[in-house]
Amino acid sequence: MSFYITTPIFYVNAKPHLGHAYSTIVADTICRFKRICAEDSRFQTGTDEHGDKIVEAATGAGVSPKEYVDRISGMFRAAWPPLSIEPDNFIRTTDQEHIQVVQSILQDVYDKGDIYFSEYSGLYCNGCERFLTEKELVDGNCPDHQKPPAPISEQNYFFRMSKYQDWLIDHIKNNPEFITPERYRNEVLSFLKEPLEDLCISRPTSRLTWGIPLPFDTNFVTYVWFDALINYITGIGYPDKDLFARYWPAAEHIIAKDILKPHAIFWPTMLQSIGIAPYKRLHVHGYWNINETKMSKTIGNVVRPGELVDEFGADTVRYFLLREMSFGLDASFSTESLLARQNSDLANDLGNLFSRSLTMVARFAGNQTPKQGNLSESDQELADAAVAMIEEFKAQMNGFAFHKALQAVWAVIGRANRYIVENAPWELAKDPTNAERLATVLYTLLETLRLLALCLAAVMPGTAVKMNASLGIDTGPDLLQQGRWGLLEPGCAITVGEALFPRMDKKGKKKEKKKQDKPQEGKKQKKSESVDTDGMISFDDFTKLDLRVAEIVAAEKIKKSDRLLKLTLKAPEERTVVAGIAEHYGPEEIIGKQVIIVANLKPAKLMGVTSHGMVLAAKGEEGLVLSSVSRPVSNGSKVS
Ligand code: ME8
């Protein structure tokens, strides 16, 4: 089966921002997904380089339109590889082949009588590059650009769009998936209840020269949409190249709601007039907002994808955007929420599962995939969940519900982390008669990781490659063939690599700690003195100790120390505490445990790591045993 996915071609009147990156990441992800489902997939993006807006921007920059479009188009092209976005084609509307095909289409449509010359007066929005109807205005302004459109009256060429209105209504009604999500299908159908006006497709060269000349009247150039929309077919060699036969009408377009009308109304009617089958589906997403306002070059509140990649890495940015937005609805961007996903979903949940599992295989199974024995109920439960995840993931991805697809993956990650605590491989390792059980538990974990990496290959390609390399898998991902349980070969070498995701510091974290530390500093010293002198303290003295319940969310050995572990605790805000327990606990076995900490100790540096507090432990004949609570309780609860 063929699959052809496109993004809008972006205007080159401004540099790429996160909104552009989102549509393009979605296209890349879905293309990778289809490929790992063995579909023949193609992905196209590019730049839209004609029109008033481009000339304005070039003039503003003091360069010729050609120099300007080359520069900004180059920025779009260069923005994608750092995000692991790999289009098969990057089209530019200034490409000669595109221009020729647009002209030959214009001639055909003109010859068949679907383009005519007429006088037109209307309200033109420069931002939208189209005439708006009175109904679309909000308080006299264009709702997207918050400016009043300009009244324009001139002679122009028109495309007989109204002729195809009934056909379009029938097509949308007969093909429920033509426009998704449904809200946008309904919006288009409701718009089509009113008679459709014909579409102005030209500009006189007296007003605009930066466009494609009409082949039948060189005093005019095409107006932006008749040029831009056609990119979807010129990019695959319409009319006679093999690629066109191979990928049309398998096309699926991704856009945001700002350009719904051109894609849902202009484009299918244009295709119908040209005599080409309509595209297969239109996928419409919402806006990325910053503080409730659409991120847009016009407003200037933009986030640059390159800066985020430098700070967080491509896979974190891809994961965040796909996980945080429900496709179709608006979503809000903030660095805080990106940081929270990085630390909690990626470093804590996935990163910990991965490093704990591999470290245990290294310690208890000699760095090799062990052989699985009979599955216990708990092994079977995790195995079933991991296999069911593959089906759920596929279904949600096919429906463009990326956030749900990722929720399904993270549900299994959570389950696997609990499975480690429940099956405590470090306990099993203490008794050689448990060898088979231990091997089965470790195998179950590795096999779960393999299935997780299989799903993640489309969303976080770099992470999936790292995971597979550690698991000793050197075949490419194939969701149809590899989505079964038990494919990992025993005896295969396992490599423990770097942590998948670094934990990152929250801004303002230090401040919070200082606030907590201050009231107790100094006084605590006196308290210790009082314990030393008479062995008794007053209740007042006791209340100066800020004891809290904290969950260990990450643990690692401190280099060059046999005794110290660096712990990341949630109490409920995150803090680092250094604990002298490495001889008694392996890092992998304490993750997820709740302990009691002294939260208001003055920070102290141990082997180069600053510790913000102290974990309480009992020292008995059995060795050092960590404090805990008898039932789970919210992190940060006060111990009194
Ligand atoms: O409209 N949130 O180009 P454009 C989500 N050249 N997506 C956003 C966004 C936001 N805040 N801001 C922009 C054009 N986008 C025409 C298209 S197609 C034949 C011609 C994304 O540079 C989203 O995909 O204004 C939106 O549809 C597109 O950028 C608009 O890009």
Side-chain angles (χ1 to χ4, degrees), residues 8-11 17 19-20 23 48 256 258-259 285 288 295 297:
I9 47 170
F10 303 111
Y11 283 132
H17 65 65
H20 305 126
S23 312
D48 187 357
D258 52 345
I259 48 178
H285 63 76
W288 280 98
M295 186 187 299
K297 58 200 163 201

Side-chain angles (χ1 to χ4, degrees), residues 386-565:
V387 172
M389 162 187 76
I390 299 282
E391 288 315 310
E392 173 77 3
F393 181 78
K394 279 200 289 202
Q396 298 294 2
M397 291 292 284
N398 277 318
F400 275 53
F402 306 107
H403 68 297
K404 287 193 185 155
L406 289 169
Q407 273 166 7
V409 173
W410 257 257
V412 168
I413 292 173
R415 198 179 269 256
N417 270 323
R418 287 196 299 279
Y419 172 89
I420 295 182
V421 177
E422 284 157 19
N423 288 281
W426 50 90
E427 293 297 336
L428 295 172
K430 287 179 186 159
D431 181 350
T433 61
N434 291 327
E436 185 182 320
R437 178 82 205 113
L438 176 62
T440 306
V441 169
L442 296 178
Y443 185 92
T444 304
L445 284 170
L446 291 179
E447 189 59 356
T448 303
L449 287 173
R450 182 183 67 79
L451 292 171
L452 289 168
L454 188 56
C455 289
L456 294 177
V459 178
M460 297 197 280
T463 303
V465 165
K466 277 193 213 161
M467 290 174 75
N468 283 335
S470 287
L471 294 171
I473 297 169
D474 54 12
T475 47
D478 179 340
L479 256 173
L480 307 184
Q481 298 301 320
Q482 300 163 351
R484 289 172 290 132
W485 187 259
L487 298 187
L488 269 184
E489 292 287 336
C492 181
I494 297 294
T495 352
V496 185
E498 292 272 285
L500 289 180
F501 299 95
R503 306 187 55 75
M504 300 184 83
D505 269 343
K506 271 184 196 160
K507 280 187 201 144
K509 185 177 173 189
K510 275 186 188 147
K511 257 193 217 152
E512 276 168 34
K513 280 210 190 82
K514 272 191 193 136
K515 256 191 253 156
Q516 284 179 347
D517 289 342
K518 257 189 189 152
Q520 303 300 334
E521 266 172 40
K523 290 189 180 166
K524 196 176 48 49
Q525 296 296 80
K526 278 188 205 145
K527 171 186 59 65
S528 328
E529 274 162 29
S530 72
V531 174
D532 285 342
T533 45
D534 58 18
M536 303 285 238
I537 57 166
S538 70
F539 182 71
D540 243 18
D541 283 337
F542 170 71
T543 57
K544 285 170 193 157
L545 267 181
D546 188 15
L547 299 178
R548 300 276 170 172
V549 174
E551 183 186 340
I552 304 177
V553 292
E556 61 183 277
K557 284 195 115 178
I558 292 183
K559 279 190 195 126
K560 295 196 201 133
S561 167
D562 297 333
R563 224 172 53 77
L564 299 180
L565 285 186

Side-chain angles (χ1 to χ4, degrees), residues 337-355:
S337 44
L338 177 54
L339 195 66
R341 292 258 177 227
Q342 159 89 10
N343 281 341
S344 123
D345 301 11
L346 298 177
N348 284 357
D349 299 346
L350 174 61
N352 270 340
L353 173 66
F354 186 69
S355 63

Side-chain angles (χ1 to χ4, degrees), residues 169-448:
I169 294 172
D170 283 349
H171 186 75
I172 297 174
K173 287 193 172 157
N174 294 336
N175 296 276
E177 296 230 304
F178 185 57
I179 302 168
T180 64
E182 209 182 344
R183 64 180 57 221
Y184 297 109
R185 176 177 184 263
N186 296 339
E187 197 178 312
V188 172
L189 282 173
S190 117
F191 183 80
L192 286 171
K193 283 190 181 138
E194 302 291 323
L196 207 51
E197 285 179 19
D198 289 341
L199 181 67
C200 176
I201 61 154
S202 69
R203 282 276 156 277
T205 44
S206 56
R207 206 149 77 73
L208 174 76
T209 49
W210 188 244
I212 302 179
L214 297 187
F216 42 84
D217 188 344
T218 47
N219 293 320
F220 289 84
V221 294
T222 54
Y223 152 70
V224 63
W225 289 106
F226 217 91
D227 166 10
L229 289 162
I230 291 175
N231 92 84
Y232 299 131
I233 54 175
T234 54
I236 48 170
Y238 172 81
D240 52 2
K241 300 267 161 50
D242 291 349
L243 282 179
F244 181 71
R246 184 161 149 198
Y247 291 112
W248 198 272
E252 305 202 14
H253 302 308
I254 294 167
I255 57 163
K257 58 188 177 183
D258 52 345
I259 48 178
L260 176 61
K261 254 179 231 163
H263 283 80
I265 299 176
F266 308 174
W267 183 222
T269 54
M270 280 165 65
L271 287 166
Q272 186 67 3
S273 170
I274 303 167
I276 304 175
Y279 57 80
K280 191 167 170 203
R281 288 167 83 183
L282 178 65
H283 303 273
V284 189
H285 63 76
Y287 293 148
W288 280 98
N289 293 330
I290 293 209
N291 301 328
E292 321 267 302
T293 310
K294 181 193 174 193
M295 186 187 299
S296 102
K297 58 200 163 201
T298 327
I299 300 167
N301 58 344
V302 294
V303 174
R304 300 283 171 214
E307 288 167 16
L308 292 184
V309 171
D310 289 347
E311 202 174 336
F312 294 93
D315 280 4
T316 297
V317 178
R318 291 172 68 106
Y319 171 76
F320 172 80
L321 293 178
L322 294 170
R323 174 66 186 79
E324 198 80 5
M325 179 176 255
S326 305
F327 193 91
L329 303 178
D330 290 354
S332 193
F333 176 85
S334 72
T335 318
E336 289 71 33
S337 44
L338 177 54
L339 195 66
R341 292 258 177 227
Q342 159 89 10
N343 281 341
S344 123
D345 301 11
L346 298 177
N348 284 357
D349 299 346
L350 174 61
N352 270 340
L353 173 66
F354 186 69
S355 63
R356 287 163 97 183
S357 304
L358 292 192
T359 315
M360 288 191 290
V361 173
R363 268 178 67 189
F364 307 136
N367 266 325
Q368 282 189 356
T369 311
K371 195 166 174 304
Q372 86 175 320
N374 293 331
L375 298 191
S376 73
E377 209 174 298
S378 129
D379 309 333
Q380 192 64 55
E381 200 199 348
L382 181 58
D384 290 347
V387 172
M389 162 187 76
I390 299 282
E391 288 315 310
E392 173 77 3
F393 181 78
K394 279 200 289 202
Q396 298 294 2
M397 291 292 284
N398 277 318
F400 275 53
F402 306 107
H403 68 297
K404 287 193 185 155
L406 289 169
Q407 273 166 7
V409 173
W410 257 257
V412 168
I413 292 173
R415 198 179 269 256
N417 270 323
R418 287 196 299 279
Y419 172 89
I420 295 182
V421 177
E422 284 157 19
N423 288 281
W426 50 90
E427 293 297 336
L428 295 172
K430 287 179 186 159
D431 181 350
T433 61
N434 291 327
E436 185 182 320
R437 178 82 205 113
L438 176 62
T440 306
V441 169
L442 296 178
Y443 185 92
T444 304
L445 284 170
L446 291 179
E447 189 59 356
T448 303

